[in-house]
């Protein structure tokens, strides 16, 4: 079929392609208040699937969900000096409630370390109460000057974990466990996204953390996106809120803490990492709809067949949708499912009934071929797993192909025009980092030569991964 | 074992009992900003299970989840006259964002009809786009002068459904479907709560609705709690936001709408409907933990046994927790699980190992008896279902026993001192309703003589259910 070019090609204008996909695939709209967004059902369906997969991993790591209030007394924010400095410029402030001016204005949470610590200080009495492992799914607000849907919005949805431990080592290990067993596992095995695991430089650390672990993904245009972070907070908030526990030998000790978060920003990452000029490509393990069965025409026999195939795929464990809206032209529906990135399309028309076939269209690997309708239930789950692996491989190959090893600031800046650079941290250092920052290029993370996460900034052999970033 | 009286007895002071349960069972704390709450893991676990069960029913009714912004331009609220009048006194207003005073203040959503309609007006083009069935899980803010945890909080968590239909009849039927197939089904079959289904009088209707359907439960002290509502909005918001569709014959018609909501208030209802002087009683189908297996002492053999029993119960589909914290006295742990209302306790000590038994303690039916450890996996699922049914029956029997049929305003007010009254609406009417309201007694809902939901206030045989309410 002849298609109108529904999307701006990526090569022509990547940001516009991104916005086109969001509009045309029905993912989100801009909200009426600057920087906010309306997440439409298809976009929210992606987020719901992310939540479900993440939540299972968070619980497996021992954390329980809870809920802390949206409103935080302004005074809480000021107790941790670096924290307030980091967040003050982004706060939304409520000054009136119930028709009256409030005695103390309250801020809409930009993150919850402060209010969480106020309660941890009450809940933690003795070493028996540790570790205390809490997660919450919530909305947060950070006023954005240059908003972009899913990537930087004034309000976004996220999970934020907050934990308290008896020792430095336990806290450090737990932050690392979330980083790898929850975040990296989810991103690689569900989102099919290649991510680089590393630690942030002092310049890029979370406001109030002593160490920030990050996961960085390369988008289709070669820029980087921070997909999630896990922080060691040391005793910074514990000191500010006097969060102490009675140790086995009777002392009143400060706890050691972590916090960690991922957000609806991951939806933006998914779009920009896997999308192409025809729209989204959703990894099968994430996809709310893994296969759509389309009736090409509205004869009763065709409609009966698509429903039968739909039932059989569902029975085989495939998340399937039957598209029998034959009052809408077939071509338009096919383009719409392509845009939405549904991994498999099964198209059935009158001629297929005679031959006992269906047209199987693969969104990820590409290509279409007629297959025996009876074979679909066995075939589709296998193809979905193949295409899941393929997406991850493609994203890894792109990152490898577009990453250059360099030795100077100039070379790093040049490489960051269309990809990433790797440069020994000993060659770059905070000074080189500052020079790059002037050109809009940042150190995304520090990694070990072997790809491990270094235990400190000055560990021997540490390499800086450098890029432009969203 | 001798127990200290951990809770104020219900008969002595029901509100204090309620607050004691919330504290001692670790359900929630008051937040730092007046009227807000911190939902602790055990309380949030109840809400998560509610969400999961409700969400499945909402999706089965055809609605998709989406997310609308927290912040609504103040001007939106004013477009529907009754709506703004109802909500204006409860609004929280953000006047500053990103360090500057905002040009137009924004309100924190008290409910989302207005912002939803702004987008429905864009998304609905033709009759093909209808019905549009949306739900969202979110936090909302209504400034509360007399807050009480879970029941009336300035911020609460809820789901709010919003739908648009081509005809009045479709909208009416969908509001009724949510009322019965989603809300009543969930409350009766999961929460084991007896609820009376009816319609609100004009006085008690949602601000902006033409009809409000409600579910009312009788709490342990005989007062009523509104557990959820489903509204027919008519074309009120459609007119205010010009939400129109192109009909089959080419006209530009206003849509007909519904909205419907249930909230964390249901947690308060659960406490007050099923709780007793020993704490919570959680209905088995809801319970995050249906059975806890307690090691009485910490010998290796006992610990091995409780883990083995735990595994077998889990394999039998029971949501089970093993309590092997034998550094805490057994009595204290037993009281804690009783307080938390876990339906079944399986207690195992050294003597049980010899006899191959375990002590089975039933929180709902009461009583404890030794049973063969090998029989537990078969026994527990059956008992859980029995006790689920028992809780529902007990709540129904209480409501029936404490509801009086009366004919005058005076009799109704008297009956409402310790229970509910039923009075023919023809005998009460809006005037009698106003007189009752002066005494703090309200018409909870109108029902048909046969328990059906009347199609209008003046349907013949309509009965008013009258009570004091939370």
């Amino acid at each position: 079929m002849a298609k109108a070019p529904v999307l701006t090609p990526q090569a022509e204008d990547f940001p516009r392609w991104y916005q086109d996909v969001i509009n045309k695939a029905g993912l989100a709209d801009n909200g009426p208040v600057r920087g906010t967004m309306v997440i439409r059902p298809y976009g929210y369906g992606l987020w719901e699937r992310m939540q479900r997969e993440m939540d299972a991993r968070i619980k497996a790591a021992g954390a329980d969900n809870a809920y802390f209030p949206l409103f935080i007394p302004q005074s809480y924010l000021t107790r941790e000096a670096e924290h307030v400095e980091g967040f003050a410029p982004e706060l939304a402030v409520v000054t009136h409630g119930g028709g009256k001016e409030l005695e103390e204005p309250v801020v809409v949470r930009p993150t919850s370390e402060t209010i969480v610590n106020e309660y941890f200080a009450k809940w933690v009495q003795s070493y028996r109460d540790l570790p205390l492992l809490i997660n919450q799914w919530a909305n947060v607000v950070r006023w954005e000057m240059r908003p972009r849907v899913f990537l930087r919005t004034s309000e976004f949805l996220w999970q934020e974990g907050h934990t308290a431990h008896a020792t430095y080592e336990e806290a450090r290990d737990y932050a690392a466990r979330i980083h790898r067993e929850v975040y990296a596992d989810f991103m690689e095995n569900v989102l099919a996204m290649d991510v680089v695991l590393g630690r942030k430089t002092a310049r890029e650390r979370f406001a109030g953390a002593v160490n920030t672990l990050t996961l960085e993904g390369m988008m289709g245009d070669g820029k980087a996106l921070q997909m999630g972070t896990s922080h060691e907070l040391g005793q910074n908030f514990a000191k500010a809120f006097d969060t102490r526990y009675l140790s086995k030998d009777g002392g009143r000790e400060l706890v050691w803490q972590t916090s960690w978060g991922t957000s609806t920003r991951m939806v933006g990452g998914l779009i920009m990492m896997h999308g192409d000029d025809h729209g989204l490509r959703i990894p099968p393990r994430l996809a709310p709809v893994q296969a759509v069965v389309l009736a090409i025409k509205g004869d009763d026999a065709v409609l009966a067949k698509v429903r039968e195939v739909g039932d059989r795929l569902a029975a085989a464990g495939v998340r399937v949708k039957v598209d029998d809206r034959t009052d809408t032209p077939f071509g338009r529906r096919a383009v719409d499912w392509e845009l939405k990135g549904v991994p498999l399309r099964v198209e059935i028309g009158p001629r297929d009934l005679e031959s006992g076939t269906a047209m199987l269209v693969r969104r990820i690997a590409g290509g279409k071929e007629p297959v025996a309708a009876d074979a679909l239930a066995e075939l589709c789950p296998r193809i979905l797993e193949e295409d899941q692996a393929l997406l991850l491989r493609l994203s890894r190959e792109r990152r490898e192909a577009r990453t250059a090893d360099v030795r100077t600031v100039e070379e790093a800046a040049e490489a960051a025009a269309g990809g990433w650079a790797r440069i020994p941290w000993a060659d770059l250092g905070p000074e080189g980092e500052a020079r790059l920052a002037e050109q809009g290029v940042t150190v995304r993370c520090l990694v070990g030569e072997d790809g491990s996460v270094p235990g400190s900034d000055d560990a021997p052999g540490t390499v800086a991964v450098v890029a432009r970033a969203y």
Side-chain angles (χ1 to χ4, degrees), chain A residues 51-75:
Chain A
Q51 284 188 299
R52 183 167 290 236
E53 292 282 344
M54 289 273 295
D55 197 65
R57 285 167 176 78
I58 290 167
K59 284 178 173 144
D64 288 320
N65 287 335
Y67 188 78
F68 290 83
L70 175 71
F71 292 152
I72 301 180
Q74 212 162 24
S75 59

Side-chain angles (χ1 to χ4, degrees), chain A residues 23-245:
Chain A
N23 295 341
K24 299 287 168 73
L27 295 177
D29 281 5
N30 287 313
V33 173
R34 187 174 160 75
T36 62
M37 65 176 161
V38 177
I39 309 179
R40 299 185 66 171
Y42 193 62
Y44 199 82
L46 296 173
W47 176 241
E48 270 187 307
R49 291 275 313 138
M50 289 183 187
Q51 284 188 299
R52 183 167 290 236
E53 292 282 344
M54 289 273 295
D55 197 65
R57 285 167 176 78
I58 290 167
K59 284 178 173 144
D64 288 320
N65 287 335
Y67 188 78
F68 290 83
L70 175 71
F71 292 152
I72 301 180
Q74 212 162 24
S75 59
Y76 283 21
L77 268 291
T78 61
R79 291 202 212 163
E80 214 289 330
E82 282 185 25
H83 191 67
V84 67
E85 198 182 317
F87 284 103
E90 300 179 351
L91 297 177
V93 185
V94 176
T95 54
H96 291 72
K100 287 186 193 156
E101 186 162 358
L102 302 180
E103 286 178 22
E104 186 191 350
V106 301
V107 303
V108 182
R109 64 178 161 225
T111 179
S112 302
E113 278 77 5
T114 60
I115 195 163
V116 164
N117 261 278
E118 177 78 8
Y119 287 85
F120 275 25
K122 292 178 195 171
W123 298 343
V124 174
Q125 298 294 327
S126 91
Y127 66 92
R128 282 195 187 87
D129 302 319
L130 298 176
L132 181 56
L133 312 173
I134 298 287
N135 178 62
Q136 84 170 350
W137 292 96
N139 53 345
V140 287
V141 170
R142 299 176 187 178
W143 214 262
E144 275 294 345
M145 292 301 124
R146 297 176 303 125
R148 193 177 298 184
V149 176
F150 288 121
L151 298 175
R152 267 195 319 274
T153 48
S154 294
E155 180 193 8
F156 54 92
L157 305 183
W158 78 344
Q159 62 68 219
E160 51 178 320
H162 299 276
T163 71
H165 306 261
T167 66
Y168 160 73
E169 289 76 12
E170 269 185 46
R172 179 199 60 196
D173 292 350
Y174 198 78
R177 179 176 176 190
I178 294 292
H179 189 220
R180 196 167 292 274
E181 291 179 24
V182 176
Y183 292 171
D185 181 75
F186 166 71
M187 291 171 196
E188 289 169 3
N189 294 319
V190 179
L191 299 186
M193 291 177 79
D194 171 75
V195 280
V196 170
L197 278 65
R199 63 184 274 137
K200 289 288 187 188
T201 60
R203 184 188 179 100
E204 299 286 335
R205 236 177 246 152
F206 175 74
V210 299
N211 184 26
T212 290
L213 304 172
T214 183
L215 304 98
E216 304 281 329
M218 182 188 279
M219 303 295 106
D221 60 353
K223 288 169 81 171
L225 183 73
Q226 177 180 303
M227 291 284 294
T229 47
S230 181
H231 315 292
E232 295 173 40
L233 302 176
Q235 299 182 310
N236 288 346
F237 289 91
K239 281 177 194 154
F241 288 83
D242 203 32
T243 314
R244 290 176 185 275
Y245 71 99

Side-chain angles (χ1 to χ4, degrees), chain A residues 150-429:
Chain A
F150 288 121
L151 298 175
R152 267 195 319 274
T153 48
S154 294
E155 180 193 8
F156 54 92
L157 305 183
W158 78 344
Q159 62 68 219
E160 51 178 320
H162 299 276
T163 71
H165 306 261
T167 66
Y168 160 73
E169 289 76 12
E170 269 185 46
R172 179 199 60 196
D173 292 350
Y174 198 78
R177 179 176 176 190
I178 294 292
H179 189 220
R180 196 167 292 274
E181 291 179 24
V182 176
Y183 292 171
D185 181 75
F186 166 71
M187 291 171 196
E188 289 169 3
N189 294 319
V190 179
L191 299 186
M193 291 177 79
D194 171 75
V195 280
V196 170
L197 278 65
R199 63 184 274 137
K200 289 288 187 188
T201 60
R203 184 188 179 100
E204 299 286 335
R205 236 177 246 152
F206 175 74
V210 299
N211 184 26
T212 290
L213 304 172
T214 183
L215 304 98
E216 304 281 329
M218 182 188 279
M219 303 295 106
D221 60 353
K223 288 169 81 171
L225 183 73
Q226 177 180 303
M227 291 284 294
T229 47
S230 181
H231 315 292
E232 295 173 40
L233 302 176
Q235 299 182 310
N236 288 346
F237 289 91
K239 281 177 194 154
F241 288 83
D242 203 32
T243 314
R244 290 176 185 275
Y245 71 99
L246 192 67
S247 69
K248 280 189 188 174
D249 51 17
R252 298 261 304 143
E253 308 290 343
L254 290 168
V255 298
W256 296 86
Q257 296 189 273
T258 80
S259 70
W260 25 280
T262 55
S263 73
T264 36
R265 164 173 259 225
M266 289 192 290
V267 178
L270 186 83
I271 298 167
M272 292 196 297
M273 188 173 275
H274 296 317
D276 65 16
D277 283 347
H278 300 288
L280 293 166
R281 293 191 300 177
I282 309 293
R285 290 195 199 148
L286 181 77
V289 179
Q290 296 177 307
V292 60
V293 186
L294 288 102
I296 295 178
K297 288 203 174 166
D299 341 356
D300 289 348
V302 170
L303 293 177
K305 190 69 184 173
V306 294
R307 283 165 202 155
E308 181 206 318
V309 169
D311 289 344
R312 276 209 251 163
L313 287 176
V318 176
R319 292 188 288 276
V320 66
K321 194 170 183 105
V322 168
D323 179 351
D324 53 8
R325 299 168 299 157
T326 46
D327 53 348
T328 302
F330 168 71
R332 196 191 297 173
R333 288 181 290 133
V335 168
D336 188 54
W337 292 115
E338 185 177 44
L339 262 169
K340 285 191 156 69
V342 169
L344 293 179
R345 293 206 308 274
V346 177
E347 304 173 348
I348 298 175
R351 265 185 254 169
D352 293 301
L353 296 184
E354 291 162 34
S355 54
T357 58
M359 188 62 78
L360 183 64
V361 189
R362 292 172 71 163
R363 179 66 183 90
I364 294 163
K368 59 199 304 183
E369 56 175 342
V371 299
D374 287 345
L376 284 165
E378 187 273 326
L379 194 59
C380 289
R382 189 149 47 81
I383 292 182
L384 289 169
E385 277 301 294
E386 274 177 36
D387 289 352
Q388 175 80 27
L390 175 62
L391 266 188
L392 177 60
R393 194 167 74 241
L394 290 174
S395 72
R396 182 156 296 155
E397 286 171 358
R398 178 171 56 208
R399 195 248 311 162
E400 285 167 356
R402 295 173 75 167
T403 298
D405 280 294
V406 303
R407 297 300 298 259
T408 69
V409 169
E410 290 67 31
E411 289 167 347
E414 197 182 330
W420 293 5
R422 288 165 48 89
I423 178 170
W425 179 237
D427 291 349
L428 187 66

